[in-house]
Amino acid sequence: MIRLQQVILARGTKPLFDSVDVTLNPGDKIGLIGSNGAGKSSLFAMLRGELHPDQGSIEFPAKWQLAHVAQETPPLERSAIDYAIDGDVTLRKLEAQLAELEAQPESHDNGIAIGEVYGALADADAYTVRSRGEQLLLGLGFTLEQMEQSVASFSGGWRMRLNLAQALMCKSDLLLLDEPTNHLDLDAIIWLEDWLKRYEGTLIIISHDRDFLDGVVNVVVHIDERKLKRYSGNYSAFERQRAAQLILAQSSIEKQNRKRAHLQSFIDRFAAKASKAKQAQSRIKALEKMEELAPLRAAAEFSFEFREPLSAPNPMLVMDEVDCGYRVESQTDHSFTEKKIVGDVKFSLQIGQRIGLLGINGAGKSTLIKTIVGELAPLTGSITTGKGLSIGYFAQHQVEMLRHDESPLWHLAHIAPDVREQELRNFLGGFNFPGAMVTSPIAPFSGGEKARLALAMIVWQRPNLLLLDEPTNHLDLETREALTEALAQFEGTLVVVSHDRHLLRATTDQFIIVADGKLLPFDGDLDDYKAWLYKTKLEQAANAANAAALPEKTKEKAAALPQAKPIPSTPQIDDKEKKRRDADERQRLTALRKPIETRIKRLEEQMAKLTAKKDDYSRQLSDSTIYDDANKDKLKNLLLDQAYVVKELEQLEADWLEQQEFLEAVA
């Protein structure tokens, strides 16, 4: 287990942790949350041994293998697949040990040592390591061709995916992930979520993606007021428990204030009377001893809203047989060739539509958005825009387009040169750019603060069509929630690409999908999209990888083993014998499937019962009277019961998924 005891930490003059005590159990999947600057990254640094507390101790078993995502990636010529496999440090040590032994002169002892290393390599799953590495990279969005490219050939975001693959390859006991979804598309996030559900070690995640946290964690550790508080359940359960605590804390403060007022009133009335002096003195002492309760504060809320559009053309725009893509200039003769990404787009945007744009990484979502906004000219076809169309565009790399040597006020004045400075200051103040911050260069600002400035500039322009390509990158939970609420109330038309499923669910009412070079309607929700991903894309890629790569690599490794023997060929058999063997095989598979199917049925019955209990607890917690003072104990028990049911249900669901995999394996 991980145990923090009386930990005190300050960075410079800023205190981060004050006498922190918390215990985390082996196998917990923990979401670490808190406001920016609260100390989340510092806690990770202490767990990695890169930072030490000023006082107190942090303990976990010395034998634990720790894995985390490196923040830097050198421009190596090493292939992506080899770089990912480097994360399995135990395997790489054994390979180095084997190379060293094989370079030595042959001897009896040397032969024994080599045999032992081969045995250790088998125990380390060395002969499936390339397949495992390929599965990780496929899940994170790499193609088989990209896996053979050098690390140096990838952009910064893709190198971060390689670092994540390295961390996942490590056979770790403790895995630390700091914003692992920042550089991933929705399909890769869904894959990562399922991978982490099956991870058997202790997991600690820093993330601003509430759906991702809900899908993975069973414990939340909240950093607030320089303390760490542990909550059972996922992020949604934490929010409910936190809200209940805030209500109870406020109730306790009000109760104490009433008692203090009553004591003070008695003192004021009778302190001067000799007959009541003794009682008055006792109340003065009681008042002095009464410890003033500190309010349990929620994080300061941030909110904004999109101003009403000045016009509302209908239709907004019409795309007629448009091919979207790029014109690439030849380095030799400077001629241009066209690279079509999405073809034959017939699409119109009507006023008030709220569309979520889906598609796997590289399908062409950003290319389509750039074509609509005019950054890319159509290769063929035409785009007709409505009179008065005003587009608010947030690109994936919008933050990088800002002038980092200029201030928020400069950026807004640049697009509104005729507006009074005080009006611009007031507007930026509404986006949490107060005082001197509004005139300071944005270079030292956090990614979230820069993204907030980019949003402020879009809001100022009063668009009637919003095109948002991954707008939540760099945003913390509070700002994401503010953006979600603002988009839900936006009166114009919205097209959004996002890996934040909570935002998609709350702000869109229809989906379209970019797949196989086409733009198509998608008749379903995000759960249907998840099923589509597995069925049509991820499974196909995984099967292709297994068929193409695994047999040859397995044969190579098997041939290297001293004990390896040739596999005898299968003799010819007649049709009658073949039918008999096929019947025997079917009977064998039926025998294998029956206990698994029985287990699945039992698990489904248990899950149904627990789901009914969970719904009942939620219904009781939605009743406002449960938060009355008289129901304080009942509320506490109800929250505990709910957390227990949620945890048990998660375990049953994990068991159900495992049994389904077994069933598929014997199909």
Side-chain angles (χ1 to χ4, degrees), residues 1-2 24-28 30 44 47-48 58-61 63-68 167 170-177 199-205:
M1 68 175 57
I2 302 171
L24 305 172
N25 299 319
D28 277 350
I30 302 133
F44 268 25
L47 289 168
R48 293 194 301 263
I58 298 180
E59 301 172 356
F60 59 86
K63 66 178 182 179
W64 272 15
Q65 175 71 53
L66 186 148
H68 66 96
C170 181
K171 294 184 176 179
S172 58
D173 302 290
L174 173 60
L175 178 58
L176 306 178
L177 297 180
Y199 176 67
E200 295 180 354
T202 303
L203 172 67
I204 307 181
I205 305 175

Side-chain angles (χ1 to χ4, degrees), residues 561-616:
L561 283 170
Q563 306 93 324
K565 296 180 180 180
I567 300 172
S569 59
T570 304
Q572 294 288 329
I573 55 175
D574 58 28
D575 289 343
K576 187 175 181 181
E577 177 66 11
K578 185 177 183 301
K579 288 179 181 179
R580 187 187 66 79
R581 291 191 180 187
D582 288 346
D584 289 345
E585 179 64 10
R586 286 194 298 272
Q587 190 174 359
R588 184 183 70 84
L589 289 176
T590 301
L592 287 171
R593 289 172 62 91
K594 190 170 182 179
I596 300 174
E597 289 171 340
T598 302
R599 172 67 174 156
I600 288 173
K601 185 178 180 181
R602 191 178 300 117
L603 285 169
E604 288 173 344
E605 290 171 352
Q606 292 174 296
M607 286 161 59
K609 290 178 182 177
L610 286 177
T611 300
K613 280 188 177 181
K614 179 183 169 186
D615 292 344
D616 181 54

Side-chain angles (χ1 to χ4, degrees), residues 178-322:
D178 190 348
E179 294 293 353
T181 64
N182 263 3
H183 300 280
L184 302 182
D185 292 329
L186 182 54
D187 49 308
I189 290 174
I190 290 171
W191 174 87
L192 178 62
E193 183 179 305
D194 284 346
W195 192 96
L196 292 175
K197 285 177 182 176
R198 297 191 298 271
Y199 176 67
E200 295 180 354
T202 303
L203 172 67
I204 307 181
I205 305 175
I206 299 172
S207 178
H208 293 140
D209 186 331
R210 59 181 297 152
D211 266 42
F212 181 71
L213 288 172
D214 271 350
V216 174
V217 307
N218 56 18
V219 172
V220 168
V221 171
H222 183 213
I223 304 177
D224 187 44
E225 296 292 315
R226 300 185 294 279
K227 300 288 187 183
L228 266 64
K229 184 167 177 61
R230 185 182 190 277
Y231 295 81
S232 295
N234 60 15
Y235 182 79
S236 293
F238 155 75
E239 276 196 327
R240 290 191 294 271
Q241 294 173 63
R242 177 74 172 162
Q245 284 184 354
L246 290 168
I247 293 168
L248 289 173
Q250 183 61 35
S251 175
S252 298
I253 291 170
E254 291 172 358
K255 184 177 180 181
Q256 187 188 69
N257 287 341
R258 289 195 297 271
K259 187 174 182 180
R260 290 172 69 90
H262 179 73
L263 290 172
Q264 190 64 53
S265 174
F266 187 93
I267 293 165
D268 292 342
R269 281 186 291 138
F270 299 115
K273 292 187 178 181
S275 61
K276 296 287 187 179
K278 188 173 181 180
Q279 292 94 322
Q281 285 298 317
S282 69
R283 282 162 175 75
I284 290 172
K285 290 178 182 178
L287 193 60
E288 289 172 348
K289 288 180 180 179
M290 188 180 292
E291 183 179 354
E292 188 166 350
L293 293 174
L296 188 62
R297 297 195 302 274
E301 289 187 1
F302 164 66
S303 64
F304 70 95
E305 60 183 25
F306 287 91
R307 301 191 292 178
E308 184 181 353
L310 295 174
S311 60
N314 197 26
M316 292 289 198
L317 61 84
V318 177
M319 302 177 75
D320 186 21
E321 297 183 345
V322 170

Side-chain angles (χ1 to χ4, degrees), residues 98 101 104-118 562:
L98 179 62
L101 287 169
Q104 296 174 5
E106 291 186 12
S107 68
H108 177 71
D109 290 343
N110 181 260
I112 292 175
I114 288 175
E116 289 174 348
V117 173
Y118 270 120

Side-chain angles (χ1 to χ4, degrees), residues 41-144:
S41 296
S42 295
L43 178 57
F44 268 25
M46 287 194 291
L47 289 168
R48 293 194 301 263
E50 299 166 4
L51 183 65
H52 300 285
D54 300 322
Q55 292 183 39
S57 63
I58 298 180
E59 301 172 356
F60 59 86
K63 66 178 182 179
W64 272 15
Q65 175 71 53
L66 186 148
H68 66 96
V69 179
Q71 296 303 304
E72 300 292 333
T73 317
L76 302 173
E77 291 306 314
R78 192 168 182 76
S79 71
I81 183 65
D82 286 333
Y83 183 80
I85 293 172
D86 289 344
D88 193 337
V89 291
T90 301
L91 174 66
R92 289 307 196 205
K93 286 178 182 177
L94 288 170
E95 288 178 340
Q97 188 179 348
L98 179 62
E100 184 180 340
L101 287 169
E102 289 181 335
Q104 296 174 5
E106 291 186 12
S107 68
H108 177 71
D109 290 343
N110 181 260
I112 292 175
I114 288 175
E116 289 174 348
V117 173
Y118 270 120
L121 282 167
D123 291 340
D125 296 326
Y127 310 132
T128 63
V129 68
R130 187 175 181 89
S131 174
R132 288 188 283 118
E134 288 173 346
Q135 295 305 307
L136 282 178
L137 292 179
L138 284 166
L140 293 174
F142 292 83
T143 64
L144 292 172

